Amino acid sequence: MKEVKLLKGNEAIAEAAIRYGVDGYFGYPITPQSEIMETLMAQHPWDTTGMVVLQAESETASINMVYGGAGCGKKVMTSSSSPGMSLMQEGLSYIAGAELPCVVINVVRGGPGLGTIQPAQSDYFQSVKGGGHGDYKLIVLAPSSVQEMADFVPLAFELAFKYRNPALILSDGMIGQMMEKVTLPPYQPRWTEQEIEQLHPWATTGKKAHRSKNVITSLELLSDEQERHNQKLQAKYQQMQATEVRYETFSCEDADYLLIAYGSSARVCQKAVEIARENGLKVGLLRPITLFPFPTEAIHKLAQQVKGILTVEMSAGQMVEDVRLAVEGKTPVAHFGRFGGIIPSPGEVVDAIKQQFIKG
Amino acid sequence: MTTNDIVKPENLVYAKTPVLSDAVMHYCPGCSHGVVHKLVAEVIEDLQIQEQTIGIAPVGCAVFAYNYLEIDWQEAAHGRAPALATAVKRLHPHKYVFTYQGDGDLAAIGTAETIHACNRGENIVIIFINNGIYGMTGGQMAPTTLEGMKASTCPSGRNHERDGFPLKMSDLLALLPGTCYVTRQSVHTPGNVRKAKKAITQAFNNQKAQKGTSVVEIVSSCNSGWKMSPVQANKWMEEHMFQQYPLGDLKNI
């Protein structure tokens, strides 16, 4: 049965995880995402679904606990915010190299360094370009509502297991902290040991007499083999790019100007589109839902139609680089951003469109 | 009498455990890893837990431990094995989980993961090979390198004013309420090999009894890293390493 609740984005993540039959959550407190672990602990799912919830000694430990759990073929996840995500990059590189499925949530706050606890989108590069060492990609989903925080937990796990690759839900302090109405998914049971052995024959479930041992590793010293492994990873990322791109458009059919924004910024831009149109400016919005794979083709297509593209990000301009690569010079591309925890207002966005493209 | 007359099952007094693979080990002649691998494999066979055991391999010389024991393995990032083992055990409470780590892995880069796994009393076994040096990377100073002992990053010998003191990690771990068994062994003589096997057996039995974390430190030689012959290295270990790292149980409850 579907359940409708008024929840914070962070709480929605926790509720969705329990209902989806997640086996383990390993985390470390950091603002503005601590409600995820707090909600899980308050719900004590170990008594109901059997889900393990553990507070680790650091984000380094929590992501490596996720590695261990993922290696067993279990649905495991962690969450953090920007400084903690920096610590997790080592583990994520190993997880990607060992081709393990898991889900990580980053409720982004402003940086660099300790930065601020207010919302930001300045971890885009870290999220979509790999983040740790080596050539790898995370599947990156960008929710822009509390409903999507809940919906993307199952989606992220499905994609993670489909590709045996870590999936990241790239949220921010606004989506994590704000309350909205959310429809929660129905409960589904956790996988049984037998199901895991059938679904994930690679998992370390204990070596049975009928099969050879399973070894989870990212190590291969022979260069030929390591190159082949990398080619396999790259083919996987190309497959994602070909089949998993998700985005949404608003009022783009007749648009002269295009806004591109994800997450909180996309919410602001939706209002900016309304205000601009009330003022006679035909503005549309493209909201990438997957940041990797990026909606390159859709942006390239719209670039032929519009007189200018403005990316709106709560950063100094990171996604704008991928937009420029997609646009290939077909139309002018500009960036408008606020950072340090400031959320841009819709009016500021409309002003930025005018300033960039409709001078005088 | 021919060889075939002698090779009969009823005459068998010793055989390689099937838990140990036929892969040729990459370890240097004189290294202790091969012996300890064999002991862990024999204990797994004796306890009949091959199908229930998951090993966590370190970064260091034993990174390829997974090539030698016929069990499921996960290869951890440097120092993170106890974090992996924590999750594997929590998600598989009825399976046997052990880490196999060197001194650089366990006592330097993985100090936090080691202490916190032990402090939580994770029901796992930690096999800790302490040879006082970084073997795989070519003989650099380890947290356990003795004072005055030479290594490629302290060529004139470890000097505590510059390099700090050798870390007695097992002593530290024995203080934690989460550990039930902390012991220091060696495998340089047949008698010590037998004692070490007994210790590893007890550690796995502790896990079965859900008593908490068991740590088996094996003080080992690294003749390549120490730039000695295997025989010289064992002698030097007895004379110097055992002074700093005396053998015996530090905790057994």
Side-chain angles (χ1 to χ4, degrees):
Chain A
M1 198 189 75
K2 289 203 169 174
E3 212 179 328
V4 182
K5 279 189 173 182
L6 182 67
L7 291 175
K8 279 188 175 192
N10 290 336
E11 294 165 343
I13 291 268
E15 298 278 359
I18 297 169
R19 282 167 172 75
Y20 185 63
V22 171
D23 296 296
Y25 170 94
F26 306 91
Y28 185 81
I30 183 171
T31 309
Q33 63 79 55
S34 297
E35 294 88 353
I36 297 176
M37 184 162 43
E38 285 171 346
T39 305
L40 287 169
M41 290 292 188
Q43 299 279 1
H44 50 93
W46 49 90
D47 288 329
T48 51
T49 71
M51 179 184 182
V52 169
V53 187
L54 184 64
Q55 179 168 340
E57 65 271 26
S58 68
E59 290 90 348
T60 302
S62 60
I63 193 68
N64 281 286
M65 290 173 182
V66 165
Y67 181 118
C72 297
K74 301 270 186 179
K75 287 181 195 152
V76 286
M77 63 190 282
T78 184
S79 64
S80 191
S81 181
S82 310
M85 288 306 300
S86 294
L87 274 178
M88 287 193 195
Q89 297 308 315
E90 174 201 62
L92 283 167
S93 171
Y94 279 75
I95 290 169
E99 294 192 89
L100 295 178
C102 70
V103 171
V104 179
I105 297 109
N106 181 2
V107 184
V108 182
R109 57 190 253 182
L114 207 47
T116 170
I117 58 170
Q118 303 299 331
Q121 295 181 313
S122 40
D123 295 355
Y124 176 89
F125 284 147
Q126 186 196 55
S127 308
V128 307
K129 307 291 182 191
H133 60 285
D135 277 322
Y136 73 91
K137 300 277 191 188
L138 308 176
I139 299 162
V140 185
L141 301 171
S144 72
S145 64
V146 174
Q147 184 63 57
E148 282 189 336
M149 289 286 257
D151 293 346
F152 286 3
V153 171
L155 176 62
F157 271 109
E158 279 155 28
L159 292 172
F161 275 95
K162 180 174 175 185
Y163 292 97
R164 282 186 61 184
N165 200 73
L168 175 74
I169 298 176
L170 186 68
S171 181
D172 64 60
M174 185 174 111
I175 307 288
Q177 291 296 328
M178 73 182 185
M179 295 186 90
E180 287 186 311
K181 193 178 79 173
V182 51
T183 306
L184 292 169
Y187 281 93
Q188 68 180 71
R190 290 166 51 236
W191 284 324
T192 63
E193 293 303 309
Q194 290 72 25
E195 282 173 320
I196 288 174
E197 281 172 26
Q198 277 166 14
L199 290 166
H200 317 302
W202 46 265
T204 55
T205 50
K207 185 203 164 303
K208 306 295 174 295
H210 62 80
R211 69 157 167 87
S212 52
K213 65 186 164 191
N214 285 339
V215 177
I216 304 292
T217 182
S218 59
L219 176 68
E220 179 49 68
L221 289 183
L222 299 173
S223 298
D224 285 350
E225 287 299 321
Q226 187 58 260
E227 187 179 49
R228 261 194 290 280
H229 177 59
N230 268 273
Q231 283 164 344
K232 184 183 166 204
L233 294 180
Q234 291 304 316
K236 205 163 72 170
Y237 306 143
Q238 280 166 15
Q239 178 69 22
M240 292 174 195
Q241 188 69 56
T243 55
E244 303 298 348
V245 172
R246 288 163 170 81
Y247 62 93
E248 213 175 20
T249 54
F250 301 91
S251 310
C252 285
E253 300 73 25
D254 63 341
D256 290 328
Y257 302 98
L258 179 66
L259 293 171
I260 302 181
Y262 67 93
S264 288
S265 293
R267 296 288 288 268
V268 174
C269 286
Q270 259 181 280
K271 190 71 190 167
V273 168
E274 278 176 38
I275 296 172
R277 284 189 174 257
E278 281 163 17
N279 286 282
L281 274 179
K282 287 185 194 165
V283 176
L285 166 67
L286 184 143
R287 174 174 82 92
I289 293 171
T290 51
L291 293 174
F292 181 83
F294 194 65
T296 306
E297 243 176 82
I299 292 170
H300 186 79
K301 226 168 145 189
L302 278 167
Q304 329 273 334
Q305 170 195 323
V306 297
K307 295 176 196 162
I309 294 177
L310 184 75
T311 67
V312 179
E313 301 175 64
M314 281 141 53
S315 78
Q318 300 190 11
M319 181 181 67
V320 65
E321 293 192 6
D322 286 335
V323 170
R324 285 206 175 100
L325 287 171
V327 167
E328 289 184 311
K330 302 282 181 210
T331 194
V333 175
H335 159 76
F336 174 69
R338 297 295 304 267
F339 29 75
I342 308 267
I343 298 162
S345 73
E348 277 181 302
V349 174
V350 177
D351 288 347
I353 299 170
K354 289 181 185 162
Q355 209 181 348
Q356 288 292 341
F357 305 117
I358 316 165
K359 288 174 186 113
Chain B
M1 188 180 279
T2 66
T3 310
N4 283 337
D5 296 327
I6 300 166
V7 182
K8 284 179 184 162
E10 59 267 31
N11 292 334
L12 189 70
V13 289
Y14 181 82
K16 181 179 81 67
T17 162
V19 180
L20 208 57
S21 78
D22 291 328
V24 176
M25 288 191 181
H26 70 285
Y27 299 115
C28 306
C31 176
S32 313
H33 274 306
V35 180
V36 182
H37 282 16
K38 185 198 75 165
L39 294 184
V40 174
E42 284 180 353
V43 169
I44 289 170
E45 189 197 6
D46 293 349
L47 300 178
Q48 298 184 306
I49 55 171
Q50 186 178 9
E51 294 195 359
Q52 293 96 51
T53 303
I54 297 161
I56 314 292
V59 171
C61 286
V63 67
F64 289 122
Y66 54 72
N67 286 336
Y68 308 130
L69 266 69
E70 291 298 297
I71 54 168
D72 280 358
W73 281 97
Q74 294 193 19
E75 208 294 298
H78 199 20
R80 316 296 177 223
L84 272 69
T86 295
V88 174
K89 183 68 185 181
R90 297 255 180 161
L91 292 162
H92 283 303
H94 304 299
K95 292 195 169 136
Y96 292 84
V97 182
F98 75 95
T99 70
Y100 188 107
Q101 303 174 260
D103 43 78
D105 193 271
L106 180 142
I109 197 165
T111 314
E113 286 77 11
T114 305
I115 287 181
H116 285 279
C118 289
N119 196 48
R120 286 189 300 265
E122 299 294 345
N123 253 310
I124 57 172
V125 173
I126 295 176
I127 308 284
F128 167 31
I129 307 293
N130 176 10
N131 59 16
I133 205 152
Y134 283 79
M136 188 179 70
T137 42
Q140 294 81 15
M141 181 177 67
T144 47
T145 297
L146 302 184
E147 284 197 74
M149 186 175 163
K150 289 177 182 170
S152 67
T153 49
C154 55
S156 54
R158 184 176 195 162
N159 169 355
H160 71 253
E161 284 180 14
R162 184 189 58 212
D163 307 317
F165 298 91
L167 187 57
K168 296 174 90 161
M169 197 65 177
S170 292
D171 297 63
L172 261 171
L173 298 176
L175 293 173
L176 303 173
T179 53
C180 61
Y181 180 46
V182 182
T183 185
R184 196 181 277 127
Q185 303 289 333
S186 82
V187 291
H188 71 302
T189 70
N192 287 100
V193 169
R194 280 193 289 274
K195 280 187 200 164
K197 184 174 174 183
K198 223 174 132 190
I200 294 168
T201 304
Q202 185 182 335
F204 276 90
N205 280 328
N206 287 343
Q207 184 169 166
K208 188 177 189 181
Q210 302 187 322
K211 287 174 78 174
T213 315
S214 295
V215 181
V216 182
E217 175 179 345
I218 313 277
V219 182
S220 304
S221 64
C222 175
N223 49 287
S224 300
W226 295 358
K227 314 256 181 278
M228 296 175 193
S229 71
V231 175
Q232 282 173 330
N234 277 345
K235 189 161 180 283
W236 193 88
M237 178 170 73
E238 280 183 340
E239 288 167 1
H240 299 89
M241 289 288 278
F242 293 170
Q243 298 294 312
Q244 177 73 16
Y245 306 111
L247 303 187
D249 288 354
L250 290 107
K251 184 181 194 177
N252 189 358
I253 51 174

